[in-house]
Amino acid sequence: MTQEWEILTESKVIGLITTKVETFNNYINGEWKESASQKKFYSVNPANTEDVVGVFQASNETDVKEAIEAASKAFPGWAKTAPSKRAAILNKAAALLEENAPTYAEELTREEGKHVSDAKNEVLRSAQTLRYYAVEGQSFTGETFPNDDPNMRVSTEREPLGVVSVITPWNFPISIAARKIAPALITGNTVVFKPSSDTPLIAVRLVEALHKAGIPKGVLNFVTGRASDVGDLLVTHPAVKAVTFTGSTAAGEDIHSKSSFTTRTQMELGGKNPLLVMEDADLDLAATLTVNGGFSLTGQACTGTSRVIVMKEVKEAFVNKLIEKTSALKIGSGFEEGVKIGPLANEKQLKNVLKYIEFGKEDGADLVYGGEQLTEAQYEKGYFVQPAIFTNVKPNHRIAREEIFGPVIAVIEADTYEEAIAVANDVDYGLSASIVTNNLKIASQFTKDIHAGTVKVNRTTTGNLINAPFGGLKQSSTATFRESGRVGLEFFTQVKTVYIGY
């Protein structure tokens, strides 16, 4: 089942199942309201497409314009609001997320497919992000500079930008939103938030938490709908001073090109992340890291392990361990105990993964494990695929160069560390990378040689701390402003230098 962009009734018959489906509205100027388009779409469970999660507004530019105008009107008052009051709202919203985490986790699993335990962790991490910026935002200040005039004080002040458009993806639909919205709000900006149409419900829950926490009218606005209907105005409206986006490189390039040169942009985009396995590596650890980095979240993480570059002398032993660990993974609904691989998020993702599996075969790589769509019994109503492992992959193969965003691992053989580094860097992306080795000299050299924004040793390519900077190089990012950590506040402020003589 694919999303329908039409007016839907509250009770929708899907096949032989009739479900009571709740309708959710946009949030503009402090009110929940229907779209001016009078059109709606539904979100379905990727593990069972007969399970309709909810009905949402198919917004148009009229809605976006209203949201931007509300944010623009609210900006002066919010910018003057005491930081402690802004922080109190973030902390109260965090408490509401924590209180409702079990329920929200179930909803997130229904609409995105990840295991319910991972979904709960994401909700709790989002609450932690709100609390983190509630603290950090109150001490994010300018500097005072020494000068030769004893009767003059020179300092900088950090000011909010104005209206910020926040556009987020479906793979971490609440945690990524939180790490953009929280620093935007604590620094005094107002926000227009558009989530992915695959995961609008958990976005509603985040907005609800901030609404119940007392966010003033117009400070946070929320619209759902297709990017083709609302995306351009979120980027080109003259009142929008900044756009923060996480998604595909192609979409990021489109947003960046349409933005005015006076509109600040923050683009966190795709990855083709390598894991290097050296000849001295603990192969059991290397295989575990590969499985966790490449197949957790069904491979749908921008930092997911997509390529394993392994030394020739340990390749066979490594691949055997990798197949053994992969074959033990349970595939199924995110509500089932012990499931490690859920469905892909939507039909488009499923088709894309299957397409790249065929590309791998066509280019001459060896598919040594998996790669089949699962359609029998409990899988027939969902977007399930076996994780795929390819060996004898060449650096010029499409599965070794292009982002797949699914559970596909390309194993590439190398003779030396120098060759492995050359292969690792010879792609358009530079988001995350890791190496498995017990050689401290090689590990240290790797952190300098690799072209990636996040570099790890003996750890998965996935995952980042809330309090550490996150971002990529090359086509993985605009490489201007980092997300997460204290530096994540910088994007949402501008510096003013002040000279005072007395």
Side-chain angles (χ1 to χ4, degrees):
M1 179 186 297
T2 55
Q3 290 174 331
E4 294 293 333
W5 297 87
E6 61 185 4
I7 298 176
L8 300 174
T9 58
E10 190 72 8
S11 181
K12 181 77 176 180
V13 179
I14 307 294
L16 299 177
I17 298 177
T18 302
T19 56
K20 184 68 175 178
V21 183
E22 186 176 355
T23 297
F24 298 90
N25 291 334
N26 290 335
Y27 180 74
I28 299 175
N29 201 31
E31 298 180 0
W32 297 96
K33 58 191 302 184
E34 291 187 350
S35 167
S37 73
Q38 295 298 300
K39 295 182 179 181
K40 299 177 177 66
F41 68 97
Y42 54 78
S43 175
V44 301
N45 181 345
N48 176 9
T49 57
E50 291 183 349
D51 175 23
V52 181
V53 177
V55 176
F56 300 87
Q57 305 302 310
S59 304
N60 60 19
E61 288 198 346
T62 299
D63 303 305
V64 176
K65 184 178 180 181
E66 184 181 358
I68 292 173
E69 289 175 351
S72 184
K73 184 177 180 180
F75 171 65
W78 183 244
K80 294 176 183 177
T81 299
S84 60
K85 292 183 178 180
R86 299 181 205 147
I89 291 171
L90 293 185
N91 280 321
K92 188 173 180 180
L96 290 168
L97 291 182
E98 291 164 343
E99 179 183 338
N100 293 283
T103 300
Y104 294 169
E106 291 180 0
E107 292 176 339
L108 175 51
T109 293
R110 282 182 65 205
E111 71 174 352
E112 197 275 339
K114 66 182 60 178
H115 196 272
V116 68
S117 60
D118 293 326
K120 185 178 180 181
N121 287 337
E122 182 176 346
V123 174
L124 294 176
R125 177 185 174 91
S126 302
Q128 186 182 5
T129 297
L130 297 183
R131 293 190 188 281
Y132 173 80
Y133 281 113
V135 173
E136 288 292 335
Q138 296 186 75
S139 62
F140 192 63
T141 63
E143 300 175 276
T144 301
F145 299 91
N147 72 91
D148 292 338
D149 186 342
N151 297 316
M152 182 172 68
R153 181 177 181 270
V154 183
S155 62
T156 57
E157 298 177 0
R158 286 192 172 271
E159 298 180 337
L161 304 174
V163 178
V164 177
S165 290
V166 174
I167 307 172
T168 57
W170 46 259
N171 59 332
F172 293 98
I174 185 169
S175 63
I176 289 178
R179 80 181 187 210
K180 295 175 183 290
I181 292 172
L185 293 178
I186 195 64
T187 50
N189 300 279
T190 54
V191 170
V192 179
F193 171 32
K194 194 204 90 66
S196 166
S197 296
D198 286 304
T199 52
L201 179 54
I202 195 65
V204 168
R205 300 310 186 202
L206 175 60
V207 175
E208 282 180 344
L210 287 160
H211 170 72
K212 292 175 181 177
I215 199 85
K217 289 184 177 181
V219 172
L220 174 64
N221 303 274
F222 170 77
V223 293
T224 56
R226 291 188 295 195
S228 58
D229 293 331
V230 301
D232 281 3
L233 197 59
L234 284 168
V235 173
T236 61
H237 193 290
V240 173
K241 302 305 179 184
V243 180
T244 176
F245 167 81
T246 296
S248 72
T249 296
E253 288 180 334
D254 183 62
I255 291 171
H256 192 60
S257 66
K258 289 177 178 175
S259 300
S260 163
F261 79 96
T262 59
T263 302
R264 187 175 288 190
T265 60
Q266 181 184 55
M267 307 283 113
E268 289 303 334
L269 311 172
K272 195 65 183 173
N273 312 295
L275 178 82
L276 277 62
V277 181
M278 303 309 295
E279 60 269 20
D280 69 324
D282 178 334
L283 297 185
D284 193 66
L285 173 64
T288 297
L289 294 177
T290 301
V291 168
N292 292 344
F295 299 146
S296 62
L297 301 170
T298 320
Q300 298 173 125
C302 57
T303 54
T305 304
S306 183
R307 299 176 292 154
V308 179
I309 305 168
V310 57
M311 293 297 104
K312 181 177 181 179
E313 54 263 51
V314 296
K315 174 193 166 187
E316 183 177 352
F318 167 77
V319 170
N320 288 339
K321 285 182 177 291
L322 179 58
I323 292 174
E324 178 185 358
K325 291 180 182 294
T326 302
S327 64
L329 299 176
K330 183 179 179 180
I331 304 171
S333 165
F335 290 108
E336 293 180 35
E337 187 71 27
V339 162
K340 296 298 183 182
I341 298 182
L344 291 157
N346 53 50
E347 186 178 26
K348 181 180 178 182
Q349 283 299 111
L350 174 64
K351 289 181 177 179
N352 187 64
V353 169
L354 294 175
K355 177 186 71 175
Y356 272 98
I357 289 171
E358 291 305 310
F359 284 167
K361 297 175 185 177
E362 291 171 8
D363 289 343
D366 295 332
L367 179 61
V368 296
Y369 183 84
E372 297 294 326
Q373 182 180 357
L374 301 177
T375 57
E376 70 279 5
Q378 73 268 34
Y379 304 119
E380 63 180 347
K381 297 175 184 177
Y383 305 127
F384 292 96
V385 65
Q386 278 186 311
I389 300 171
F390 282 92
T391 61
N392 296 328
V393 178
K394 305 303 179 186
N396 63 338
H397 288 175
R398 283 169 285 187
I399 60 171
R401 304 196 67 80
E402 300 172 14
E403 185 177 44
I404 302 172
F405 220 65
V408 180
I409 295 290
V411 179
I412 305 170
E413 182 181 298
D415 289 320
T416 64
Y417 166 78
E418 290 74 19
E419 180 187 357
I421 280 291
V423 171
N425 287 334
D426 187 27
V427 292
D428 293 331
Y429 301 100
L431 185 54
S432 180
S434 183
I435 190 171
V436 187
T437 182
N438 290 311
N439 187 322
L440 291 178
K441 182 177 180 181
I442 289 292
S444 178
Q445 190 62 40
F446 172 76
T447 65
K448 298 177 177 64
D449 292 338
I450 194 69
H451 299 164
T454 299
V455 183
K456 300 185 179 184
V457 176
N458 296 325
R459 291 294 184 271
T460 64
T461 58
T462 53
N464 62 286
L465 294 176
I466 287 172
N467 59 343
F470 174 76
L473 308 178
K474 298 189 282 188
Q475 290 189 18
S476 290
S477 173
T478 43
T480 47
F481 295 90
R482 289 293 186 243
E483 291 190 331
S484 293
R486 188 173 176 83
V487 299
L489 294 160
E490 293 179 358
F491 174 75
F492 300 99
T493 61
Q494 56 195 357
V495 175
K496 177 182 289 183
T497 305
V498 178
Y499 294 74
I500 299 178
Y502 49 86

Coordinates of all heavy atoms in Angstrom, one line a residue, residues 312-344:
K312 N 43.5 -8.8 2.7 CA 43.4 -10.0 1.9 C 43.6 -11.3 2.8 O 42.9 -12.3 2.7 CB 44.4 -10.0 0.8 CG 44.4 -11.2 -0.1 CD 45.4 -11.1 -1.3 CE 45.3 -12.3 -2.2 NZ 46.3 -12.1 -3.3
E313 N 44.6 -11.2 3.7 CA 45.0 -12.4 4.4 C 43.9 -12.9 5.5 O 43.9 -14.0 5.9 CB 46.3 -12.3 5.1 CG 46.5 -11.1 6.0 CD 47.2 -9.9 5.3 OE1 46.7 -9.6 4.2 OE2 48.1 -9.4 5.9
V314 N 43.0 -11.9 5.8 CA 41.9 -12.3 6.8 C 40.5 -12.2 6.2 O 39.5 -12.4 6.9 CB 42.0 -11.4 8.0 CG1 43.3 -11.6 8.8 CG2 41.8 -9.9 7.7
K315 N 40.5 -12.0 4.9 CA 39.2 -11.8 4.3 C 38.3 -13.0 4.4 O 37.1 -12.9 4.8 CB 39.3 -11.5 2.8 CG 38.0 -11.4 2.0 CD 38.2 -11.4 0.5 CE 37.0 -11.7 -0.2 NZ 37.2 -11.8 -1.7
E316 N 38.8 -14.2 4.1 CA 37.9 -15.4 4.1 C 37.4 -15.7 5.5 O 36.2 -16.0 5.7 CB 38.7 -16.6 3.6 CG 37.9 -17.9 3.5 CD 38.7 -19.1 3.0 OE1 39.8 -18.9 2.5 OE2 38.1 -20.2 3.0
A317 N 38.3 -15.6 6.5 CA 37.9 -15.8 7.9 C 36.8 -14.8 8.3 O 35.9 -15.1 9.0 CB 39.1 -15.8 8.8
F318 N 37.1 -13.5 8.0 CA 36.1 -12.5 8.3 C 34.8 -12.7 7.7 O 33.7 -12.6 8.4 CB 36.7 -11.1 7.9 CG 35.7 -10.0 8.0 CD1 35.3 -9.5 9.2 CD2 35.0 -9.6 6.8 CE1 34.3 -8.5 9.2 CE2 34.1 -8.6 6.9 CZ 33.7 -8.0 8.1
V319 N 34.7 -13.0 6.4 CA 33.5 -13.2 5.7 C 32.7 -14.4 6.3 O 31.5 -14.3 6.5 CB 33.7 -13.4 4.2 CG1 32.4 -13.9 3.5 CG2 34.2 -12.2 3.6
N320 N 33.4 -15.5 6.7 CA 32.7 -16.6 7.3 C 32.0 -16.2 8.6 O 30.9 -16.6 8.9 CB 33.7 -17.7 7.6 CG 34.2 -18.4 6.3 OD1 33.5 -18.4 5.3 ND2 35.3 -19.1 6.3
K321 N 32.8 -15.4 9.4 CA 32.2 -14.9 10.7 C 31.0 -14.0 10.4 O 30.0 -14.0 11.1 CB 33.2 -14.2 11.5 CG 34.2 -15.2 12.2 CD 35.2 -14.4 13.0 CE 36.2 -15.3 13.8 NZ 35.5 -16.1 14.8
L322 N 31.1 -13.1 9.4 CA 30.1 -12.2 9.1 C 28.8 -12.9 8.6 O 27.7 -12.6 9.1 CB 30.6 -11.3 8.0 CG 29.5 -10.2 7.5 CD1 29.1 -9.3 8.6 CD2 30.2 -9.4 6.4
I323 N 28.9 -13.9 7.8 CA 27.8 -14.7 7.4 C 27.2 -15.4 8.6 O 25.9 -15.5 8.7 CB 28.2 -15.7 6.3 CG1 28.6 -15.0 5.0 CG2 27.1 -16.7 6.0 CD1 29.1 -15.9 3.9
E324 N 28.0 -16.0 9.4 CA 27.5 -16.7 10.6 C 26.7 -15.8 11.5 O 25.5 -16.1 11.9 CB 28.7 -17.3 11.4 CG 28.2 -18.0 12.7 CD 29.4 -18.5 13.5 OE1 30.6 -18.3 13.0 OE2 29.2 -19.1 14.6
K325 N 27.1 -14.6 11.8 CA 26.4 -13.7 12.6 C 25.2 -13.1 11.9 O 24.1 -12.9 12.6 CB 27.4 -12.5 13.0 CG 28.5 -12.9 14.0 CD 29.4 -11.8 14.4 CE 30.5 -12.2 15.3 NZ 30.0 -12.7 16.6
T326 N 25.3 -12.9 10.6 CA 24.1 -12.4 9.9 C 23.0 -13.4 9.8 O 21.8 -13.0 10.0 CB 24.5 -11.9 8.5 OG1 25.6 -11.0 8.6 CG2 23.3 -11.3 7.7
S327 N 23.3 -14.6 9.6 CA 22.3 -15.7 9.5 C 21.6 -15.9 10.8 O 20.5 -16.5 10.8 CB 23.0 -17.0 9.1 OG 23.9 -17.5 10.0
A328 N 22.1 -15.5 11.9 CA 21.5 -15.6 13.2 C 20.5 -14.5 13.6 O 19.8 -14.6 14.6 CB 22.6 -15.7 14.3
L329 N 20.5 -13.5 12.7 CA 19.6 -12.3 13.0 C 18.1 -12.7 12.7 O 17.8 -13.2 11.6 CB 20.0 -11.1 12.1 CG 21.4 -10.6 12.3 CD1 21.7 -9.5 11.3 CD2 21.6 -10.1 13.7
K330 N 17.3 -12.3 13.6 CA 15.8 -12.6 13.4 C 15.2 -11.4 12.7 O 15.4 -10.2 13.1 CB 15.2 -12.8 14.8 CG 13.7 -13.1 14.7 CD 13.1 -13.4 16.1 CE 11.6 -13.7 16.0 NZ 11.0 -13.9 17.3
I331 N 14.4 -11.7 11.7 CA 13.8 -10.7 10.9 C 12.3 -10.7 11.2 O 11.7 -11.8 11.3 CB 14.0 -10.9 9.4 CG1 15.5 -11.0 9.1 CG2 13.3 -9.8 8.6 CD1 15.7 -11.4 7.6
G332 N 11.7 -9.5 11.4 CA 10.2 -9.5 11.7 C 9.7 -8.1 12.2 O 10.4 -7.1 12.0
S333 N 8.5 -8.1 12.7 CA 7.9 -6.9 13.2 C 8.7 -6.4 14.4 O 9.3 -7.1 15.2 CB 6.5 -7.2 13.7 OG 6.0 -6.1 14.5
G334 N 8.8 -5.1 14.5 CA 9.5 -4.5 15.7 C 8.8 -4.7 17.0 O 9.4 -4.4 18.0
F335 N 7.7 -5.4 17.0 CA 7.1 -5.7 18.3 C 7.4 -7.1 18.8 O 7.0 -7.5 19.8 CB 5.5 -5.6 18.2 CG 5.1 -4.2 18.1 CD1 4.6 -3.7 16.9 CD2 5.2 -3.3 19.1 CE1 4.2 -2.4 16.7 CE2 4.7 -2.0 19.0 CZ 4.3 -1.5 17.8
E336 N 8.1 -7.9 17.9 CA 8.4 -9.3 18.2 C 9.7 -9.3 19.1 O 10.7 -8.6 18.8 CB 8.6 -10.1 17.0 CG 7.4 -10.3 16.2 CD 7.6 -11.1 14.9 OE1 8.5 -12.1 15.0 OE2 7.0 -10.9 13.9
E337 N 9.7 -10.2 20.1 CA 10.9 -10.4 20.9 C 12.0 -10.9 20.1 O 11.9 -11.9 19.3 CB 10.5 -11.3 22.1 CG 11.6 -11.4 23.1 CD 11.8 -10.2 24.0 OE1 10.8 -9.5 24.1 OE2 12.9 -10.0 24.5
G338 N 13.2 -10.4 20.3 CA 14.4 -10.9 19.6 C 14.7 -10.5 18.2 O 15.7 -10.8 17.6
V339 N 13.7 -9.7 17.6 CA 13.9 -9.3 16.2 C 15.0 -8.2 16.2 O 15.1 -7.3 17.0 CB 12.6 -8.6 15.7 CG1 12.9 -7.8 14.5 CG2 11.6 -9.7 15.3
K340 N 15.9 -8.4 15.2 CA 17.1 -7.5 15.0 C 16.9 -6.7 13.7 O 17.6 -5.7 13.6 CB 18.4 -8.3 15.0 CG 18.7 -9.0 16.3 CD 18.9 -8.0 17.4 CE 19.3 -8.7 18.7 NZ 19.4 -7.8 19.8
I341 N 16.1 -7.2 12.8 CA 16.0 -6.5 11.5 C 14.5 -6.4 11.2 O 13.8 -7.4 11.1 CB 16.6 -7.3 10.3 CG1 18.1 -7.3 10.6 CG2 16.3 -6.6 9.0 CD1 18.9 -8.0 9.4
G342 N 14.0 -5.2 11.1 CA 12.6 -4.9 10.8 C 12.4 -4.7 9.4 O 13.2 -5.0 8.5
P343 N 11.2 -4.2 9.0 CA 11.0 -3.8 7.6 C 11.7 -2.6 7.2 O 12.1 -1.8 8.0 CB 9.4 -3.6 7.6 CG 9.2 -3.0 9.0 CD 10.1 -3.8 9.9
L344 N 11.8 -2.5 5.9 CA 12.2 -1.2 5.3 C 11.1 -0.2 5.5 O 9.9 -0.6 5.6 CB 12.6 -1.3 3.9 CG 13.9 -2.1 3.6 CD1 14.0 -2.7 2.3 CD2 15.1 -1.2 3.9

